[in-house]
Amino acid sequence: MAPDMTQGQSGDRREDQDHPPHHGMSAGEYIATRFTTLRPPMTKPPNPIRLLRSINRTQWAFFMVAFLAWTWDAFDFFTVSLTVAELAETFDKTNTDITWGITLVLMFRSIGSVLFGIASDRYGRKWPFIVNNILFIVLELGTGFSNTYGQFLACRALFGVAMGGLYGNAAATALEDLPEECRGLMSGMLQQGYAFGYLLATAFARALVNTTSHGWRPLFWFGACPPVLIIIFRLLLPETTTYQERAAVRENAEREGETVSSVFLREGKVALRRHWLLLTYLVLLMAGFNFMSHGSQDLYPTMLQNQFSFSPNQVTVTQVVANLGAICGGTVVGFCSQIFGRRLSIIVMCLLGGALMYPYTFVTDQSVAAAAFFEQFCVQGAWGVIPIHLMELSPGAFRTFVVGTSYQLGNLVSSASSTIESSIGERFPLPPKGKVHRYEYGKVICIFMGCVYVYVIILTLIGPEHLNRKLDVAHDTDVREVAGEDAIATIHRRERMGMGLSEEDLEDAAEVRRLREAEKQTQSHHE
């Protein structure tokens, strides 16, 4: 009896450790801890070089394919933001009309996140990822060959579906197999694929737009090429280890008479019953974050060109500097969030970003590039925490779905950011220059972003955090409820057998652990 009791107590202790810090609190207790839990854990700063060297080649390959795909997702998105004026001229529409192409992408992304998120959690990370990239190729070419405004909007709407499915899959592929202490740093690096994609789009827009007789179209045609290489890269890689563990739990249940689909649905019911409030919170949080990024970025090139009369070269330089700041911010703050905590890192970046909004939108000469660097350092610094923050809060069995859908539903809520800013900006006309109508977009962006920062700070303050949560199946309380401890133990036994351990070896190791536990209890009793 004693060994069984010890094993049960150990299992209970482990399950308690797997719950988030706020587990079991009443509403009053939870509210009372919102400020005290901001106290940074102040873990010893690890050597970032050592962290990078601790990642094995397979984990690096997973990270790189996810980073490249997320980078090109951003590239494809910003091709429209950077060619608003050219598209408006081609289709004989206003700038506000063209921003509907941006809005539709953001609105339809939530559909893609649901479809591809469920597919990724049910059938694996690999093939939904590949289908995503095939659709990128087809629809980017379609946009480049659009001859009417209606065709352009249709392509962008469908593009939103394809793009919506990528984020959750990329985050899971890149982060779920990584060593625990590496995740903050690598989360920040992953998220900056977004800024890197924006930087590449800015550079290639300058090189390809209006440099041939085809105007803006070569930028979109070029955008269809790199996903071919990304698809080949992903085909060479297996499923992630974490997903294989989950698949093994479902297959074990299948051998006992249940279908894999029925186990998957039971996991969904458990996740929804346990975490519905958390899922609602994540959508609201991601709405604020998406307002923050799109509100500060999408109309900014238009502001520089229209209000400040920047030349194409000046716009390009300012955008490149801003995105270098974004890349630095995401990486640095993502790493620091492992030391200071996720919520505190986000709040500090929002406070600094709010303080920088005035120079970011009111400095009218080229020195605005400095403000742009530090503003985007803060915006993407806060964003650098998001991939791992969402991963740590999400139910394990539906991690891709929850991360992707919360992100994309947030995009849906914030989808009209550029259209709202553009529409309000047109109520503040400036003296025209020749035939060009000019508007005071800077004032609108500044006020809009001030409101967004306040919202994000409040949401982050009242929200939960599960710093350094273990992401494997053995520490997933939802899977434990669905499949039971025995199923998880069986999976781990098979994994160890795969590493060359026999059943006798495993029994001997278990006996040694029991003896050590009994010896510790005896020593504790004598003390």
Side-chain angles (χ1 to χ4, degrees):
M1 289 293 292
D4 292 338
M5 290 174 63
T6 301
Q7 188 174 6
Q9 291 167 357
S10 177
D12 291 341
R13 287 196 299 271
R14 183 176 65 187
E15 185 170 356
D16 289 341
Q17 293 170 354
D18 296 340
H19 285 296
H22 58 272
H23 178 71
M25 289 185 182
S26 66
E29 290 172 333
Y30 178 81
I31 293 171
T33 61
R34 291 309 82 203
F35 282 98
T36 57
T37 53
L38 283 177
R39 180 180 180 181
M42 298 301 292
T43 56
K44 183 180 179 181
N47 184 330
I49 304 301
R50 182 186 63 79
L51 292 181
L52 296 176
R53 292 179 64 182
S54 71
I55 301 172
N56 65 40
R57 283 185 291 182
T58 301
Q59 292 164 346
W60 268 118
F62 281 135
F63 178 84
M64 289 307 302
V65 76
F67 177 85
L68 292 173
W70 179 228
T71 294
W72 218 252
D73 183 311
F75 179 100
D76 292 336
F77 175 78
F78 284 113
T79 49
V80 173
S81 298
L82 294 166
T83 55
V84 169
E86 291 80 6
L87 288 163
E89 183 178 352
T90 297
F91 297 124
D92 193 24
K93 297 292 181 179
T94 66
N95 287 351
T96 300
D97 291 331
I98 297 302
T99 60
W100 275 104
I102 300 171
T103 300
L104 285 174
V105 171
L106 299 177
M107 290 175 66
F108 278 81
R109 276 186 169 194
S110 55
I111 297 174
S113 69
V114 172
L115 296 176
F116 285 99
I118 292 175
S120 297
D121 285 324
R122 170 61 180 85
Y123 299 106
R125 317 300 191 210
K126 186 172 185 176
W127 292 105
F129 183 97
I130 290 170
V131 171
N132 267 169
N133 281 276
I134 291 173
L135 291 175
F136 287 171
I137 296 169
V138 173
L139 293 168
E140 193 75 342
L141 287 173
T143 304
F145 285 107
S146 295
N147 291 318
T148 67
Y149 179 63
Q151 291 172 355
F152 165 74
L153 291 183
C155 283
R156 299 319 290 176
L158 292 173
F159 214 112
V161 176
M163 296 173 81
L166 184 73
Y167 184 79
N169 195 323
T173 300
L175 301 177
E176 65 184 358
D177 280 359
L178 288 178
E180 182 180 304
E181 66 273 12
C182 298
R183 289 175 184 154
L185 173 62
M186 302 307 287
S187 171
M189 292 174 63
L190 173 67
Q191 185 61 37
Q192 293 331 297
Y194 182 87
F196 188 49
Y198 194 176
L199 188 150
L200 291 177
T202 301
F204 279 101
R206 185 71 189 99
L208 298 174
V209 175
N210 293 328
T211 57
T212 70
S213 59
H214 299 293
W216 51 269
R217 298 180 190 274
L219 181 63
F220 291 85
W221 296 336
F222 171 74
C225 299
V228 176
L229 301 177
I230 295 171
I231 289 170
I232 295 171
F233 190 1
R234 189 64 185 95
L235 283 169
L236 297 175
L237 298 175
E239 290 289 355
T240 64
T241 301
T242 301
Y243 176 77
Q244 290 181 49
E245 288 178 354
R246 297 189 183 282
V249 170
R250 295 165 187 166
E251 290 167 5
N252 184 69
E254 188 174 30
R255 282 189 287 272
E256 295 177 0
E258 288 191 82
T259 65
V260 173
S261 295
S262 66
V263 176
F264 181 71
L265 289 174
R266 281 203 292 130
E267 289 172 344
K269 291 177 182 177
V270 169
L272 187 61
R273 172 171 54 81
R274 283 185 164 192
H275 309 295
W276 65 270
L277 186 59
L278 174 64
L279 303 184
T280 304
Y281 166 78
L282 292 179
V283 172
L284 294 175
L285 179 67
M286 295 315 299
F289 266 87
N290 281 289
F291 271 123
M292 186 165 67
S293 60
H294 294 298
S296 67
Q297 295 170 348
D298 291 357
L299 203 64
Y300 199 68
T302 304
M303 183 199 77
L304 295 174
Q305 185 177 16
N306 179 274
Q307 181 180 345
F308 296 171
S309 299
F310 275 29
S311 68
N313 281 338
Q314 290 174 316
V315 172
T316 300
V317 169
T318 304
Q319 291 295 88
V320 167
V321 170
N323 282 284
L324 289 174
I327 292 169
C328 293
T331 304
V332 170
V333 180
F335 172 73
C336 290
S337 74
Q338 202 77 20
I339 304 166
F340 301 109
R342 314 299 187 203
R343 291 164 59 232
L344 182 61
S345 299
I346 292 170
I347 290 171
V348 170
M349 286 299 102
C350 288
L351 291 171
L352 293 176
L356 289 166
M357 278 310 302
Y358 183 83
Y360 183 64
T361 53
F362 281 86
V363 174
T364 60
D365 56 32
Q366 282 189 279
S367 62
V368 75
F373 178 93
F374 289 107
E375 179 63 33
Q376 290 305 315
F377 182 101
C378 294
V379 170
Q380 291 302 315
W383 263 104
V385 182
I386 284 299
I388 190 58
H389 190 43
L390 293 182
M391 293 275 286
E392 289 171 337
L393 291 176
S394 298
F398 283 78
R399 186 168 291 134
T400 300
F401 171 77
V402 171
V403 171
T405 302
S406 61
Y407 176 86
Q408 302 303 352
L409 285 177
N411 256 325
L412 175 62
V413 175
S414 67
S415 59
S417 297
S418 57
T419 304
I420 291 170
E421 289 179 335
S422 179
S423 299
I424 297 175
E426 290 174 2
R427 299 181 184 179
F428 300 94
L430 293 170
K433 284 195 174 181
K435 295 181 179 180
V436 178
H437 296 284
R438 298 171 61 243
Y439 304 98
E440 199 170 2
Y441 292 123
K443 179 188 292 185
V444 176
I445 294 174
C446 185
I447 296 172
F448 183 87
M449 285 298 298
C451 297
V452 169
Y453 277 128
V454 171
Y455 173 85
V456 172
I457 289 170
I458 293 172
L459 261 289
T460 304
L461 178 63
I462 66 175
E465 181 174 346
H466 198 172
L467 183 65
N468 295 330
R469 176 187 180 182
K470 296 185 182 299
L471 303 181
D472 59 347
V473 170
H475 296 86
D476 191 328
T477 56
D478 293 352
V479 172
R480 187 177 291 117
E481 178 175 333
V482 171
E485 288 283 359
D486 290 342
I488 293 176
T490 300
I491 299 305
H492 285 294
R493 185 180 299 111
R494 290 201 187 103
E495 289 172 353
R496 293 192 295 270
M497 290 283 287
M499 292 186 288
L501 295 176
S502 67
E503 286 287 358
E504 290 79 7
D505 293 332
L506 296 173
E507 291 172 1
D508 290 343
E511 181 63 25
V512 169
R513 286 195 298 272
R514 284 195 292 270
L515 290 172
R516 286 177 177 172
E517 184 68 26
E519 185 178 350
K520 287 180 182 178
Q521 289 180 349
T522 302
Q523 291 175 350
S524 176
H525 177 72
H526 287 313
E527 291 175 357

